[in-house]
Amino acid sequence: MSSINTNASAMTALQTLSATNKALNTTQGRISTGFRVAEASDNAAYWSIATTMRSDNKALSTVQDALGLGASKVDTAYTGMNKAIDTLNEIKVKLVAANGASGADKEKINTEIQALQSQLKAYADGATFSGANMLSTSSGAGTAADIKIVSAFTRDASGTAKISTIDVKVENIKLFEVGANKGILDKTRDATGAAGAGSAVSAIALTAATTDAVVGEHLQRVEAALKEMTTAATDLGAAKSRIDLQKTFTSSLMDSIDRGIGQLVDADMNKESTRLQALQVQQQLGIQALSIANGNSQSILSLFRG
């Protein structure tokens, strides 16, 4: 039936063309943004997951920076500790040379020891990075605060975020502690080198009257300090290695999260470009079909011509 009031063909063609235009707009949007899920309305679940993962990746970027800063702090302390060990070994050599030496020679050796002790303090005081110094502290209470380095940002199955840290126990590393004298080099040691009444490595002094027995006691103190410093250097080296491993892992994790986000929201440009060409053809055909459908109404006029 032909009707001038209702053009069913035109209505069908218009609906088809509208659907094609909508799909075309969607495809063009994906091509221009590179995302198939750019807004929550595109896919609420995927958008929510991707948004959370992007936020976590920003947090991981901050963790990466914190690890870099922490690595610099530990590396500074590690360098200072190694130089201090070398210097204390020099003091050990001087004490060995002092054994059996004349009084005059002991005084000369003492001058060298005093210079080396000053160098030890300089190394400890200079091992500062970004306001943190693990070798020379001034807690005054005898217990130095740990250095905490942010190492990870995680989220459990319930969505609860958690921050992990790599802790460096400064109490086991400090060489000097102003006000408490409980560092490896400034705490008093007995004749066997154990902590107790006696003298500190940093206070060792020789005079012309110093006996070989006293020199031997000083040597025991130096040996004990060297052992503790070697352990401290090992702890710092282990922390440095752990930080480096965590930095590598964090970088890989960030890349993995980026890939995961891409799997959820990125558009397949090959597929979208092919779809764009197909939709453009459909759009042209739809316009042509609508034109034909509208032309059918004009043909009814020919029925009334004489």
Side-chain angles (χ1 to χ4, degrees), residues 6-197:
T6 303
N7 190 336
S9 297
M11 293 171 64
T12 300
L14 182 60
Q15 290 175 357
T16 301
L17 181 59
S18 295
T20 300
N21 285 338
K22 183 178 180 180
L24 187 60
N25 289 334
T26 299
T27 300
Q28 288 175 333
R30 290 176 178 177
I31 291 175
S32 63
T33 63
F35 295 116
R36 68 185 178 92
V37 181
E39 301 176 354
S41 57
D42 296 329
N43 186 313
Y46 282 4
W47 181 87
S48 176
I49 294 171
T51 299
T52 300
M53 293 172 72
R54 288 192 184 103
S55 176
D56 289 354
N57 236 16
K58 290 181 179 179
L60 285 174
S61 179
T62 301
V63 169
Q64 191 84 323
D65 294 339
L67 284 168
L69 179 61
S72 297
K73 291 179 180 178
V74 172
D75 190 55
T76 299
Y78 182 75
T79 300
M81 182 65 72
N82 281 334
K83 296 298 293 184
I85 290 174
D86 291 342
T87 302
L88 192 56
N89 273 318
E90 288 295 320
I91 292 177
K92 176 181 174 180
V93 170
K94 301 303 179 185
L95 288 173
V96 171
N99 191 69
S102 66
D105 286 342
K106 285 179 180 177
E107 289 180 341
K108 293 176 182 177
I109 291 172
N110 181 65
T111 300
E112 294 178 294
I113 290 176
Q114 298 305 309
L116 291 171
Q117 287 172 336
S118 297
Q119 193 59 45
L120 282 173
K121 190 66 168 69
Y123 286 146
D125 291 343
T128 301
F129 187 90
S130 188
N133 191 322
M134 305 183 201
L135 305 186
S136 182
T137 65
S138 57
S139 66
T143 301
D146 294 347
I147 295 292
K148 294 183 177 294
I149 301 166
V150 175
S151 60
F153 175 88
T154 57
R155 188 181 298 276
D156 60 23
S158 65
T160 302
K162 180 182 178 182
I163 295 176
S164 301
T165 61
I166 294 175
D167 299 342
V168 181
K169 292 191 174 299
V170 178
E171 185 66 20
N172 300 334
I173 295 170
K174 61 186 181 182
L175 299 180
F176 295 92
E177 183 163 15
V178 177
N181 295 330
K182 290 189 177 182
I184 295 175
L185 295 179
D186 64 1
K187 67 183 175 182
T188 56
R189 299 175 183 271
D190 61 23
T192 67

